[in-house]
Amino acid sequence: FDPRHYLGTRCYSFPKTGPHRLRFLLESVKDLRETLKKKGSTLVVRKGKPEDVVCDLITQLGSVSAVAFHEEVREI
């Protein structure tokens, strides 16, 4: 979870993620974790800037051969 998604936007300071969206995200992550657990896997969830969190995870795991990501569309 990127803390920047819970700050106000540049225009009018509207929150990027309100309480309803946050609840949906948390329920979705919980469901995904439970589904993966039933299949013998797990889900790593972290809070922080992705550029820092991913770097830390790669360092912790040590044997990462590839990283895939997508970039969010930015505001104008």
Side-chain angles (χ1 to χ4, degrees), residues 28-76:
S28 299
V29 167
K30 181 181 177 185
D31 183 65
L32 178 58
R33 177 177 269 155
E34 291 171 1
T35 300
L36 289 171
K37 189 175 180 180
K38 289 176 187 174
K39 296 183 180 287
S41 190
T42 189
L43 178 66
V44 176
V45 178
R46 296 287 187 267
K47 176 184 167 190
K49 293 180 180 179
E51 57 270 24
D52 298 331
V53 172
V54 172
C55 185
D56 291 344
L57 281 173
I58 291 170
T59 301
Q60 288 175 10
L61 296 172
S63 62
V64 176
S65 60
V67 175
F69 68 94
H70 80 278
E71 186 173 355
E72 186 174 344
V73 177
R74 295 181 183 220
E75 306 171 32
I76 299 176

